[in-house]
Amino acid sequence: MKLSDREQDGVVILEPKGKIMGGPDASLLHEKLHECIELDKKRIVIDLSGVDWMNSTGLGILISSYTTLRNNGGMLKLANVTDKIQSLLTITKLVTVFEAYDSVDDAIASFE
Amino acid sequence: MGKPAISGNSITVPSDLKYLVDVDNFVEGLLREWGLDESTVADIAISVSELVNNAVEHGNDPPAGGDGERLVKVTVGRLANTVKVSVSDRGHGFDPTEIDDPLADENLLKAAGRGIFIVRNLMDEVDIKTTPDGTVVTITKNL
């Protein structure tokens, strides 16, 4: 997995690419999310358009980040969720937890 | 053994999550050689990654049968209408009935505990066997 990030309208957009399956790659995303929280950047969108698939480790990173942000007055939102990840969110009922948007722009606008 | 070893349709790796990528490349490579569609490849790859994660995190500490090297072996097989993958470790196994229901409201926001649940949803069969030599989980995907 590779990870890039940018900022738009006060929202941090994280753009992982590849697969989120555990091991060193997953640590990268986990650490980046917590770095944002420590820097008081609490409005975060994860653009999943470049993620082929993720497993329960990836879902766990999203959940722990979601709860940490929410407990600190922030919010994590998802954009461009692929069919495979949408399917995982559905079978795990996490679709009821995350706000997901069809585009990064829509996700950013939802913070307004 | 300090690095992945491939023999036919099997790959054996040291019990370390840094080798997940090697296992995934090997498994997905075989599945694509066999002409499986991308959705099926992803379902199997996700499931294998869950089982290898479990084997590394829980299955090899301490190893069954003494102080031998901690390894995880993954074997992929293709039959006419199914793909079978076995993931073996040297651990003492686990009781799948003791895993909390990840869909229960009190567990929904837990960061862990969904691996086997996801595998059961993506695969058609999941068989877990524990012997004195370790644990073998075999998954079957109908094509």
Side-chain angles (χ1 to χ4, degrees), chain A:
Chain A
M1 186 198 78
K2 293 180 178 174
L3 180 63
S4 57
D5 64 280
R6 62 191 173 89
E7 210 166 328
Q8 182 181 328
D9 301 332
V11 178
V12 175
I13 300 115
L14 301 181
E15 300 167 323
K17 294 199 189 317
K19 302 157 190 167
I20 308 175
M21 66 175 99
D25 283 357
S27 302
L28 194 64
L29 180 59
H30 182 80
E31 286 163 11
K32 187 68 191 177
L33 281 159
H34 283 267
E35 181 187 312
C36 290
I37 294 166
E38 282 171 20
L39 292 171
D40 209 31
K41 295 177 177 178
K42 294 177 182 170
R43 300 200 296 179
I44 298 177
V45 172
I46 300 186
D47 179 359
L48 292 169
S49 60
V51 177
D52 303 319
W53 51 258
M54 68 170 64
N55 63 10
S56 64
T57 303
L59 295 175
I61 292 168
L62 296 185
I63 293 163
S64 66
S65 303
Y66 169 87
T67 52
T68 303
L69 278 164
R70 194 187 59 174
N71 293 341
N72 287 280
M75 184 57 84
L76 174 74
K77 303 190 183 195
L78 307 179
N80 299 317
V81 179
T82 59
D83 289 346
K84 189 56 69 180
I85 296 172
Q86 181 67 33
S87 166
L88 288 178
L89 292 174
T90 301
I91 63 175
T92 56
K93 271 175 69 174
L94 291 174
V95 71
T96 62
V97 172
F98 293 109
E99 279 184 37
Y101 295 86
D102 290 340
S103 71
V104 169
D105 284 343
D106 284 352
I108 292 171
S110 73
F111 283 107
E112 304 289 324

Side-chain angles (χ1 to χ4, degrees), chain B residues 26-39:
Chain B
F26 175 76
V27 171
E28 289 201 30
L30 271 180
L31 299 178
R32 289 202 177 88
E33 269 182 34
W34 294 337
L36 273 62
D37 65 82
E38 284 303 309
S39 179

Side-chain angles (χ1 to χ4, degrees), chain B residues 88-129:
Chain B
S88 57
D89 61 52
R90 302 185 64 192
H92 299 90
F94 61 97
D95 181 352
T97 62
E98 289 182 359
I99 299 171
D100 291 337
D101 176 8
L103 302 186
D105 287 346
E106 65 271 25
N107 297 326
L108 205 55
L109 291 179
K110 286 186 178 172
R114 292 178 183 80
I116 286 292
F117 175 82
I118 287 174
V119 174
R120 288 192 191 283
N121 272 275
L122 297 181
M123 296 293 106
D124 293 291
E125 288 177 39
V126 180
D127 178 59
I128 303 169
K129 280 194 173 65

